[in-house]
Amino acid sequence: MRSDVTVELVKSSASDADVLFAARVSTLGEQSLEELQKDPERSKGLINYLMRDRHGSPFEHNSMTFFISAPIFVFREFMRHRVGWSYNEESGRYRELEPVFYVPGESRKLVQEGRPGKYVFVEGTPAQHATVTSVLSETYEQAYTAYQKLLAEGVAREVARAALPVGLFSSMYATCNARSLMHFLGLRTQHELAKVPSFPQREIEMVGERMEEEWARLMPLTHAAFNANGRVAP
């Protein structure tokens, strides 16, 4: 059982200079390549201008590939993000799936109050947390036992996997650029600086927070401009 997620940056070609040379080709042509040799700090005003006035395409000339391990229900939300993203996920058709399942940690708010559009999540009681853990654990054990029984009977993996719940962990590689990542973060994380409120499910927000940490390290000026301008993707 797990209550966390895994997010690892496995490959990247991303820096603030990538934004600058892409933007300056409009006025400098081939001379814009000189931006790759300059300190981006000198041009952070341009990055902020591009973000503020929503000139988005210069933020696409970079790439980040993440390895992510999370519950299947997280991936089903994740893959609603299509523009600027590429995915390859572990396949239950081609390998036997491991019995790793999600159980909410103690900090996970369990109770939903209010109606759709105006609801909030509040802390669960110790008894509720204990019930969630025991019920999910029992359900997962029964489901995986059924999965193993089907496989033992010679049933194809692609059929047997139907017995497994969405709390099962899967893994994937996800590749994006800064612009597509900013759009993801604007929808899938809550932040005090956001102009537009977002109400993500906590588990996908956990993934988003880890991805943002890596991106902020690679492109600190772009990340700062994203925050300074209300965390709205350009």
Side-chain angles (χ1 to χ4, degrees):
M1 303 294 176
R2 291 184 60 180
S3 60
D4 61 340
V5 296
T6 298
V7 178
E8 297 178 5
L9 180 69
V10 297
K11 182 180 179 182
S12 67
S13 175
S15 72
D16 293 313
D18 297 334
V19 179
L20 297 172
F21 85 77
R24 288 198 161 125
V25 72
S26 298
T27 56
L28 296 178
E30 69 278 4
Q31 295 178 28
S32 61
L33 288 172
E34 295 176 7
E35 294 298 328
L36 293 172
Q37 312 303 322
K38 295 180 181 179
D39 181 3
E41 186 74 28
R42 297 171 52 192
S43 299
K44 63 182 179 181
L46 174 57
I47 292 176
N48 189 71
Y49 159 75
L50 295 169
M51 191 77 69
R52 184 193 68 212
D53 285 16
R54 306 193 72 183
H55 296 289
S57 58
F59 297 101
E60 297 176 2
H61 296 270
N62 55 82
S63 178
M64 294 164 279
T65 298
F66 297 91
F67 173 79
I68 302 168
S69 180
I72 287 174
F73 65 80
V74 169
F75 288 176
R76 296 305 160 260
E77 284 197 325
F78 209 123
M79 290 176 182
R80 295 175 66 85
H81 297 268
R82 299 179 295 276
V83 178
W85 289 89
S86 297
Y87 303 107
N88 281 94
E89 186 182 353
E90 176 182 358
S91 175
R93 297 182 68 192
Y94 303 125
R95 65 167 298 184
E96 182 176 333
L97 299 171
E98 297 295 322
V100 181
F101 295 95
Y102 176 75
V103 173
E106 292 184 0
S107 63
R108 207 314 185 178
K109 296 178 180 178
L110 293 182
V111 180
Q112 179 178 324
E113 294 182 347
R115 59 184 176 82
K118 289 190 176 181
Y119 60 80
V120 295
F121 287 89
V122 299
E123 303 291 342
T125 66
Q128 286 173 321
H129 276 281
T131 299
V132 168
T133 298
S134 63
V135 169
L136 287 180
S137 298
E138 181 180 353
T139 300
Y140 292 151
E141 183 177 353
Q142 292 175 351
Y144 199 77
T145 297
Y147 174 65
Q148 290 287 297
K149 181 178 181 180
L150 291 171
L151 293 178
E153 292 290 332
V155 174
R157 288 183 292 266
E158 65 183 42
V159 177
R161 65 179 174 172
L164 297 172
V166 293
L168 180 76
F169 268 70
S170 186
S171 59
M172 72 172 178
Y173 289 103
T175 298
C176 63
N177 58 57
R179 190 182 193 184
S180 54
L181 180 58
M182 283 186 278
H183 182 259
F184 175 88
L185 295 174
L187 291 172
R188 302 301 182 179
T189 60
Q190 289 185 320
H191 199 282
E192 61 183 4
L193 296 176
K195 287 182 180 177
V196 181
S198 182
F199 306 95
Q201 183 164 341
R202 177 55 189 154
E203 287 75 15
I204 196 169
E205 185 179 37
M206 290 160 59
V207 173
E209 290 170 348
R210 298 282 297 278
M211 297 176 77
E212 184 169 358
E213 289 175 5
E214 297 289 353
W215 171 55
R217 180 177 57 81
L218 293 171
M219 303 179 72
L221 300 181
T222 303
H223 180 255
F226 176 60
N227 281 332
N229 289 278
R231 294 176 67 86
V232 175

